[in-house]
Structures are given as structure tokens and as C-alpha cells.
Amino acid sequence: MTAALDELPPEYRAVVVLRDVEGLSHRDIGEVVGITVASAKTRVHRARLFLRKRLTGYMAPGSAVRSIGILPEGIATTTSAAG
């Protein structure tokens, strides 16, 4: 996960860390980084897409992560369009 985060451009890394690690709202992220709420949402979304793509091999059925019991079989590796 750290390697995937390190591959993100700094402007995307900052917002995804602020949102998913620190728990800041999109509004707070916008204030901290100096961007609009819409831009904060967009950057978080794009960063998550990058991370999902980068980490897909680790989360696939039968992967080491699942086989050692870190992630139960019932957990989906993709999100629904509604979510």
C-alpha cells in the first residue's frame, strides 16, 4: 500500500491521505489544500481509482491477502455503481 501511495502524484497523495487516513471532509481538504470542494472530491476519486488499479492483483480471489485470512472471501474487490 505504501508503494502504491508513493507512486501517486503529490496532489493526489495529499488528498487521499487527508480523506482516508486522517478522516477529513471534502470541505476541510479543500481548505487545507486550497482547492474547491468539487476539486477535492475529484482528486480523491482519481487517487482511489489509481490505488484500486495498482492494488487489484493483491486483492484478487486466491491472492495471498485472501489466502492468509486478512480479507474474507465475501468481501468484494470492486464497488458498485451506486456506492
Side-chain angles (χ1 to χ4, degrees):
M1 181 67 157
T2 302
L5 281 169
D6 289 343
E7 291 179 20
L8 281 169
E11 63 271 15
Y12 290 106
R13 185 179 327 121
V15 296
V16 80
V17 168
L18 290 171
R19 179 70 177 159
D20 295 334
V21 177
E22 300 296 330
L24 270 61
S25 68
H26 291 110
R27 176 178 287 150
D28 291 340
I29 293 167
E31 290 176 10
V32 169
V33 180
I35 58 177
T36 66
V37 173
S39 292
K41 288 179 180 182
T42 299
R43 287 186 189 183
V44 169
H45 178 70
R46 289 179 181 168
R48 287 176 176 168
L49 288 175
F50 173 88
L51 291 172
R52 182 182 303 144
K53 184 176 181 180
R54 178 70 169 83
L55 298 172
T56 296
Y58 296 104
M59 304 302 281
S63 71
V65 172
R66 287 191 188 274
S67 66
I68 62 173
I70 294 173
L71 189 65
E73 279 298 320
I75 303 295
T77 59
T78 60
T79 58
S80 68

